[in-house]
Amino acid sequence: MTRAPVVIKLGGSLLSDPHDGRLQRWCERLAGEAAGSAVIVPGGGAYADAVRDAQTHWRFSDDAAHRMALRAMDQCGLMLCDLFPALVACDDIDALADHCAAGRTPVWLPSRRLDLSTDIPRDWTVTSDSIAVWLAARIGSPGVLLVKSCALPEGDLAALAAQGIVDPHLPQVAARANIDVRLAHADSPF
């Protein structure tokens, strides 16, 4: 029996500086020596920030913003796969394990599956953090690693949510799914 891959969320903040090397180091490792052991969930980065800004300006619904933010994650995922060709874009949950079994590292594009889903709240209480945990529960993953660029204080998920380090929905979805969630700083070793 094959062990399910770990889900690794690469925060959108890793995309902010292409010259600092952190994103490159994580992607090269996941596509190289760790290939097949993980599924990458991309953050929305500047694309999600653009959705937030547009919603503030135009005042469209949280539901529309949620759907747009899912597409922001897809855009970041497609960019990662173009920059690191050993990564494989995948929007089919059922195909993720097959990619890993074949020694490839898939980058999950969530909009196809979650666009109209009511499995998770459709507002800004949910970010790619909770979406990574949601995915881990669906594929039987042993855990989720959230890679962040910010300082990581001590504390449980509720305390980290209160500080804005993870999204407000994450403690609930992780507890309900019984998924082990760990955080790692982008500069830390994999």
Side-chain angles (χ1 to χ4, degrees):
M1 182 169 146
T2 311
R3 182 180 163 126
V6 67
V7 172
I8 298 180
K9 195 229 60 180
L10 296 178
S13 60
L14 291 174
L15 302 171
S16 63
D17 185 356
H19 304 292
D20 72 9
R22 295 182 297 182
L23 179 66
Q24 179 174 350
R25 185 172 49 84
W26 278 92
C27 287
E28 286 177 352
R29 179 116 190 256
L30 290 168
E33 65 190 71
S37 66
V39 172
I40 296 173
V41 172
Y47 303 110
D49 292 341
V51 172
R52 285 182 182 93
D53 292 344
Q55 186 183 28
T56 298
H57 179 77
W58 291 101
R59 303 199 188 291
F60 50 81
S61 70
D62 281 346
D63 186 71
H66 173 77
R67 294 176 72 192
M68 294 166 73
L70 289 170
R71 285 158 179 79
M73 292 173 64
D74 286 358
Q75 289 177 310
C76 285
L78 291 169
M79 183 179 72
L80 290 178
C81 292
D82 186 70
L83 293 171
F84 305 96
L87 299 175
V88 179
C90 182
D91 65 359
D92 180 0
I93 289 176
D94 296 329
L96 295 171
D98 293 338
H99 283 299
C100 289
R104 296 184 295 264
T105 300
V107 177
W108 186 53
L109 310 178
S111 70
R112 178 177 158 214
R113 173 61 178 85
L114 292 177
D115 187 47
L116 298 175
S117 173
T118 57
D119 290 352
I120 57 176
R122 300 173 62 76
D123 58 33
W124 291 110
T125 64
V126 168
T127 67
S128 52
D129 293 343
S130 285
I131 290 171
V133 173
W134 180 91
L135 176 66
R138 294 308 174 281
I139 65 172
S141 178
V144 172
L145 180 64
L146 305 175
V147 181
K148 303 276 187 174
S149 295
C150 62
L152 299 175
E154 295 293 320
D156 62 12
L157 292 178
L160 295 172
Q163 296 174 61
I165 306 295
V166 299
D167 71 55
H169 186 65
L170 182 67
Q172 297 167 37
V173 71
R176 192 169 43 244
N178 197 27
I179 297 287
D180 177 45
V181 178
R182 294 181 298 120
L183 279 71
H185 192 273
D187 291 328
S188 65
F190 175 66

